């Protein structure tokens, strides 16, 4: 088996994962990059036969994703991708089940299914295409849009505070929480691989540019001259350092993170917060999540948190095996004729 | 020394046990049922408990009741008016008295008729003394006291002793209706095997009740109901919900597909989820979802992945599932949705029965979204309709809605258990050949192929957008849409060629056909039989298939001058019949959260036949 | 020097602009519409854009179209087959050619017919050369080049210059159909007031197009369509969604109640939310909810608190709202639900029109949950039906579902703007007196009192469980339930006494009545008028009220030998008519995601009348 | 106005808030205590006229609550209480809107409305009656039931991990997060008062005993002889001390809390974690939430977090006022006759 799989996947290339459908996103849409990185990384990370891969989505521009992957795919209804994926995974736990979803799809109408999937630790991989806007419906603010955003449905600015997706995932106790950016292709590939390797609900927030309705939402994180000062790349076991020449670092006062200057010799790497993505406690992930809400803090990308605990699907299968052992494989005859019966002759 | 009591033969009896939610009336009723079934009577039961979990003792709304109807003939309802009421307290008497037959028997626990309880029951004076019960045969029995005496010297607390008094009442009823107590003794021993003192106490109370009947002067007569002539075989009592669960378990076994149930608890459908969660050793996967939408959507995912996919709910839950059912229609996946109907609209009367979800089941989705709709007619019929719903879903690759209702879901009747090999096989072929595979290329039944993830070389994508005929890719072409809309409708319509014709019970043509559907079968049948016995020319036909209707329906209807349609709704089947066959019908709609009274239907039949009732 | 061109008079013309999503065809079309309306023609438009936001340039599925029909007579549809097609690239030609009238005019941007674009449009050879266009009057115009020349020496980038070419095309069309360009120039100046160079560029392109028509030899004839005789007044072009938004704004003003809209974006209903979000200065509260359920439930809360409560959606969203609508039925709160119908089932064809949610609107809830159902028949009618829906909801304390559809929602027509004081007043009385207040004590219309939080001494509780008649407390009594079910139904039925009767347009009785509902009004009307002109005996009646039907409906139907019901569904109104009035009907169902073709209806009328078409 | 209100409420007593409906919970149900504490505290905390108080609920035993309060009340449908309350509050922001809900109602079917209410900071007060079971449907496990719980729908033990309600609220950035216990009547009254005073979404989790289907779920927190050692009462500005004789304390290592012994002089109150409920960062609330998942840690009760930020309803009203000022109060005539019009004579 193992071998067969090896052999089978070894031969695959990015092309093998490209379907015959022409891609219909707007020219310049960040979704193209995400699709490309997924197709590039899949030959490496998919340890099951290709036919065991399933892509599930809801509704939105991002949710068109499954059509472009030459795997089994299900373009569901709005907001239901995580629970549709749950059904697929529970019915056949050997499948590798991936969800492509948008900030409206996952966090607005789909919020409940999302937090319950995280809570139950269903072994599905969720890629959130976060463009902070409703794309397919042509530009209304979303639950991740910044407060005060002027859109078609908020001509005077929205009065909503946005969700902090990694914070919400942390609050739902997701076992894998990470972030990347469409234009950071290498990093994105890295994160997709990590997601692929995780067992349990894996949540990857991907900042994605909607160049039609929310262009430049993440430009300071992607423009050559601003990104180094605004993006903090998290690396396991390493102190948190960023800036063009790595001249800035993150220091923790209590649990309040602060940016410190490493150039004037006042602080050194030893003073900095060392990243440990495998920490049991969700607190680190919570702190990292607050960065984007704190003026002056860089935006962390990378794995915020990865912990391992038995998945729901695993638990379900084990319980079935357990009961089969304990009671013996079920026999219909026994059930029907069980209980209080009597004869009529 | 008590003198010999006379034994009077009866052909049928209806008994209602009533008391506090805490008095164990459901248990007493079901024990009496088991024993009565065991001695060979035909029997039909109707539990009736309050919406509150444990309403305060003594209150009227806290009264819990259990009615059962047994006979030496075949019967089909829990009975209209009880012949006997066992009332454990004033509230139970107050709530039920009006429904008891004139000259009926009333057994009351006189100990419970103290000032406090009388007040709680809103009695200004004691009904046992103020003539309220005139015209009834009343037996005042100090049940509490007698139970205490019987349990003299046990280690039990007064509270625990009080809790055994229902066994005293049960014993007394066993004596009065000449039933053996052994069944219940066995049950007690099984149930309380962990605490012997309960075994002893309950058994003592049971015997005390039985002996009390024998000893006291008060009871001069006993009654007996001889066994009914039922077809030979092995029997068990079964409720509709239990039968439904077993039906899907059987469908799973017969189709060789693992059963997946995605469900969210809701009265009165929760039992099905509870029963099926016990069958893990059949590989049954029960998923208690976060809500109804999650229940059905996860089931759709499971169907995509190759399971026999099921979701169970009641009215409000079905309302929530409608958008997702539309997705199953568009993706043409096999899915069974069970809706145990309850009183509506909205939260309505959660613990009561109704038939008002028929039109929701047929039309309650956006766009033209046809699904097959079936309905079970009795508790045991739920078993067979569950298998049938699964068969149709799998053969036609379509969602199927199976309607039951609170009455048949909780009511019980004896079931002649079928042998497993007498059950229909359901053969399912997953698509595996790559050659000529197109996701929407239909077979002779217009069903599309079922190619499940994990099948090499058949990778494909489906979804809720309109599909290209044959190829299944997203397609916005106007003519393709028109074509697909018609194909989906035709597929469902064609099922009419694959289901039994509508049968007429009684004269095959004539004055009046009483036409029903689902859970009203028993009441209508009994009413029609009795009407015929009274010389009226009336026949019965009953739908288990609501969409599509059996092929011969129009032809059957034409054979009768009048069609009477009794429904526990405002005339939903009547609407369908009228638009489909353009015939006028007489409606009979009583929406009280309860099954029909046989007598009411008989009255309506009389009225409808008018002068010429055939004689 | 070009010679004088002849000017030919026409009574009506249908034009379709087609090009890339990026070519600005929607803008071009609406500018031509505005100007055409301004010069006094009657006009009707139909935008048709792809589901994709910005499909890649040159692709067929990326083609965006805008059709408009204008005339010197009154007209009611965007026209069947265009007389003129303006195709900005090969894909636009490919996609639209089959629908253009034989001998119609085709204006193409020849510059766009390069190898790449031809390939993208799946043309193996150039249709301009290979005879594909035989039988059409083709004008090949190097629009891109000519625009570039015209803009010689501007500061604009080539990309920006290219984006002005739609103004060249517009100018040419203005010349060809003898319309003034001033309107558009004014619009350009307003629109681009922030960047003068765009004003200059677009204006130049517009003029260049106009002059090109004048100069080039190619065009020998111009056409003119004289103004229609419209009733005097102030007019504006309006789409159904805009009219709907204004209607509810008006209802808010006329009732003196603050408007609350709880909604979740969904095509094609989103515009209504977008329009209303601009009216904060009317105190309008628009709440973009987390989902459809939240939209409607928050609106129910707002209704409880005393707002004019509204929720807007399309098919799949209505499916999600059904459980909550049942709550509004049980609590008898005023609530308007707007459903802009789109192609189904499931996600279906989101940007296309359909009429398949009628039965969902009437029956799509658990239990007997009657609501009033209305439908608007034209874009401007949405304004009046929005007010009417609000009036009924408030007067009868009931949910009202207002159905529109993608076609009238996005289509436009001229609207003679009513003066505010010509609008109906809606008077609402909140309950304030404690004396004799019971939450479910009904008035003569069976409406219960509306006592809103904040009113002293009227504290009371409502909810989804069955209510005691008059008192409104939770009640499980069987007879009360039966009573309430009938009361709720009767309340809705009674609305028939409060709505206009069904009017017949044409002979008041005779051979054939064409019966429709909602957005098909225009197509049916035009078909009936033309059929009559052809000598056929045919009349029209059209429903704006679907539940209840107008009182005189049965009587009207009896007056005609045949009834033809055209619907963009499988016959949902037909079902209702048949079951309600037991008459047979002729159905005509074409479900292509598009409005009916007038010619198709005329054909069907002919066929239905058979030999004797009245002559 | 102020005065009138004063006068009006001054006169009220607990009885004034008791409706004429007989209370229909099971004898011994923890809901009785919650009702009693609410009725006792309301005369004090309700600063608006009584008729401005509205109680909203979903479906469940706990959701019967509004019937027993003599205020305006709405017994909604299952899971929708927070959004029903939102509609009431937005329509009339001067109302004091309270939600009574259960763990199934709020966290299972109602999860999405709950997290969105928190995110938007709608000024509604949410009392969660958490009995870790579905009561009204007679005993199925709920999203707060412990993993492995045997119930009617989990005869072999549930495989679900539970939600941590305060953690989820924190992840949704609720501005007020607190916990109390039905049997701790004084403390519960204290918390209800705090909820009443908060402006914004106030979330109070109340451990409630369902003596029929989940009896004793919280007994170690309520039994005389165990509660002191297992309940940590949070007090603003005070070190975290608990235990029969206050002999135990909470010390923070990094952000891992530990129980330390104060009796052997090794540690003193000065070493302990000082509680600050007004801390801006959500991290403290996250750490406190982890206690119940960490063996050996006491269960914190009290206010985990209270921060103030403009509420959604406030924002909406202000925007309306702003636009009215800016554009003048709307005139229908102007709207209808606005845009491109022309005359036909
Ligand atoms: C039940 C339902 N509600 C609403 C819609 C309309 N709708 C489609 S996609 C979408 C949101 C898209 O935003 P997002 O999820 O962020 O995806 P994006 O397009 O930005 O990638 C909405 C509201 C729908 N299709 N179905
Ligand atoms: C739409 C819908 N789904 C399901 C139900 C059934 N139901 C009623 S209450 C309830 C859960 C009750 O649990 P909880 O919210 O914890 O309240 P409790 O009874 O424990 O106080 C459920 C599943 C319903 N009434 N409506
Ligand atoms: S609208 Fe935005 S998100 Fe959607 S495809 Fe276009 S660019 Fe991408
Ligand atoms: S079932 Fe439990 S929660 Fe419900 S009323 Fe009874 S004790 Fe309270
Ligand atoms: Mg988005
Ligand atoms: Mg609970």
């Amino acid at each position: 088996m193992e071998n067969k799989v090896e052999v089978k996947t070894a031969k695959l290339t990015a092309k093998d994962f490209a379907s015959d459908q022409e891609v219909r996103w707007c020219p310049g849409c960040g979704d193209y990059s995400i699709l490309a990185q997924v197709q590039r990384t899949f030959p490496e990370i998919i340890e099951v036969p290709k036919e065991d891969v399933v892509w599930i989505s809801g509704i939105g521009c991002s949710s068109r994703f499954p059509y472009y992957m030459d795997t089994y795919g299900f373009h569901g209804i709005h907001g239901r991708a995580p629970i549709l994926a749950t059904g697929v995974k529970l019915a056949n736990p050997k499948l590798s089940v991936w969800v492509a979803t948008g900030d409206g799809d996952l966090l607005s109408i789909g919020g409940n299914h999302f937090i319950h999937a995280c809570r139950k630790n269903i072994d599905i991989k969720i890629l959130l295409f976060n463009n902070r806007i409703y794309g397919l419906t042509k530009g209304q603010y979303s639950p991740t849009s910044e407060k005060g955003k002027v859109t078609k449905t908020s001509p005077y600015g929205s009065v909503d505070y946005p969700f902090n997706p990694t914070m919400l995932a942390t609050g739902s106790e997701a076992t894998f929480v990470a972030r990347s950016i469409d234009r950071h292709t290498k990093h994105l590939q890295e994160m997709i691989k990590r997601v692929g390797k995780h067992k349990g609900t894996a949540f990857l927030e991907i900042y994605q540019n909607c160049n039609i309705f929310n262009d430049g939402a993440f430009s300071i994180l992607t423009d050559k001259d601003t990104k180094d000062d605004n993006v903090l790349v998290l690396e396991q076991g390493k102190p948190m350092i960023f800036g063009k020449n790595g001249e800035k670092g993150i220091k923790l006062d209590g649990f309040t993170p602060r940016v410190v200057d490493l150039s004037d010799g006042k602080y050194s790497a030893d003073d900095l917060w060392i990243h440990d993505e495998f920490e049991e406690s969700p607190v680190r992930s919570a702190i990292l999540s607050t960065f984007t809400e704190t003026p002056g803090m860089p935006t962390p990308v990378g794995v915020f948190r990865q912990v391992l605990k038995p998945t729901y699907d695993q638990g379900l299968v084990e319980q079935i095996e357990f009961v089969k052992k304990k009671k013996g494989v079920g026999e219909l005859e026994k059930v029907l004729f069980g209980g209080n019966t009597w004869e009529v002759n | 020394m008590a003198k010999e009591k006379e034994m009077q033969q009866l052909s049928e009896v209806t008994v209602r046990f009533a008391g506090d939610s805490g008095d164990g009336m459901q248990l007493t009723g079901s024990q009496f049922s088991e024993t009565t079934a065991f001695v060979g009577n035909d029997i039909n039961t109707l539990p009736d408990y309050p919406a509150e979990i444990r309403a305060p003792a003594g209150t009227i709304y806290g009264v819990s009741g259990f009615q059962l109807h047994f006979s030496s003939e075949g019967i089909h309802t829990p009975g209209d008016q009880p012949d006997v009421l066992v009332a454990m307290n004033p509230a139970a008497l107050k709530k039920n008295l009006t429904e008891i037959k004139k000259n009926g028997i009333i057994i009351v626990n006189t100990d419970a008729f103290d000032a406090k309880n009388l007040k709680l029951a809103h009695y200004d004076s004691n009904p046992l003394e103020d003539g309220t019960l005139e015209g009834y045969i009343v037996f005042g029995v100090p049940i509490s006291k007698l139970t205490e005496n019987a349990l003299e010297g046990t280690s039990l607390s007064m509270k625990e002793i009080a809790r055994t008094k229902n066994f005293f009442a049960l014993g007394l009823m066993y004596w009065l209706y000449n039933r053996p107590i052994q069944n219940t003794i066995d049950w007690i021993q099984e149930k309380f095997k962990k605490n012997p003192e309960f075994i002893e106490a309950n058994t003592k109370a049971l015997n005390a009740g039985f002996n009390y009947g024998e000893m006291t002067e008060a009871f001069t007569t006993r009654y007996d109901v001889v066994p009914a002539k039922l077809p030979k075989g092995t029997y068990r009592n079964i409720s509709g919900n239990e039968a439904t669960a077993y039906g899907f378990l059987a469908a799973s076994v017969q189709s060789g597909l693992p059963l997946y149930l995605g469900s969210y608890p809701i009265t009165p459908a929760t039992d099905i989820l509870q029963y099926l969660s016990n069958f893990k050793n059949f590989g049954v996967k029960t998923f208690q979802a976060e809500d109804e939408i999650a229940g059905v959507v996860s089931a759709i995912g499971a169907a995509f992945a190759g399971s026999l996919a099921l979701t169970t709910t009641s009215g409000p839950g079905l309302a929530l599932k409608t958008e997702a059912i539309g997705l199953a229609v568009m993706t043409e996946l096999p899915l069974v949705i069970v809706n145990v109907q309850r009183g509506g609209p909205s939260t309505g009367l959660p613990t009561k029965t109704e038939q008002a979800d028929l039109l929701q089941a047929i039309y309650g989705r956006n766009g033209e979204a046809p699904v097959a709709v079936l309905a079970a007619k009795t508790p045991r019929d739920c078993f067979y309709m569950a298998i049938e719903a699964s068969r149709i879903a799998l053969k036609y690759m379509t969602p199927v809605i199976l309607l039951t209702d609170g009455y048949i879901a909780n009511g019980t009747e004896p079931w002649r258990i079928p042998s497993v090999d007498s059950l229909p096989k359901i053969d399912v072929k997953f698509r595996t050949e790559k050659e000529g595979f197109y996701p929407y290329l239909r077979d002779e039944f217009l069903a599309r192929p079922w190619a499940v993830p994990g099948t090499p070389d058949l990778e494909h994508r489906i979804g809720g957008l309109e599909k290209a005929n044959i190829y299944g890719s997203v397609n916005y072409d106007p003519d393709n849409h028109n074509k697909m809309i018609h194909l989906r409708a035709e597929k469902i319509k064609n099922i009419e060629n694959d289901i039994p014709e509508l049968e007429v019970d009684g004269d095959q043509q004539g004055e009046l056909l009483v036409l029903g559907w689902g859970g009203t079968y028993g009441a209508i049948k009994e009413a029609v039989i009795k009407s015929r016995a009274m010389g009226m020319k009336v026949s019965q036909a009953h739908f288990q298939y609501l969409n599509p209707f059996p092929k011969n329906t129009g032809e059957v209807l034409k054979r009768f001058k009048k069609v009477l349609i009794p429904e526990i709704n405002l005339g939903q089947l009547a609407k369908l019949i009228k638009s489909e066959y353009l015939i006028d019908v007489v409606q009979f709609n009583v929406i009280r959260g309860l099954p029909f009274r046989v007598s009411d239907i008989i009255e309506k039949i009389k009225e409808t036949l008018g002068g010429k009732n055939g004689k």
Side-chain angles (χ1 to χ4, degrees), chain A residues 31 59-63 77-78 80 101-106 109 129 131-137 140 142 208 210, chain B residues 323:
Chain A
D31 293 352
I59 300 286
C61 295
S62 38
S63 292
I77 44 180
H78 194 38
R80 316 304 169 188
T101 181
D103 40 316
D105 194 52
L106 187 75
I109 189 170
F129 296 39
N131 54 13
R132 295 187 179 159
I133 197 81
Y134 289 173
L136 191 66
T137 45
Q140 303 79 24
S142 91
Q208 170 245 328
C210 167
Chain B
E323 188 213 5

Side-chain angles (χ1 to χ4, degrees), chain B residues 264-266 292 320:
Chain B
Y264 187 68
I266 182 168
E292 281 82 358
L320 286 167

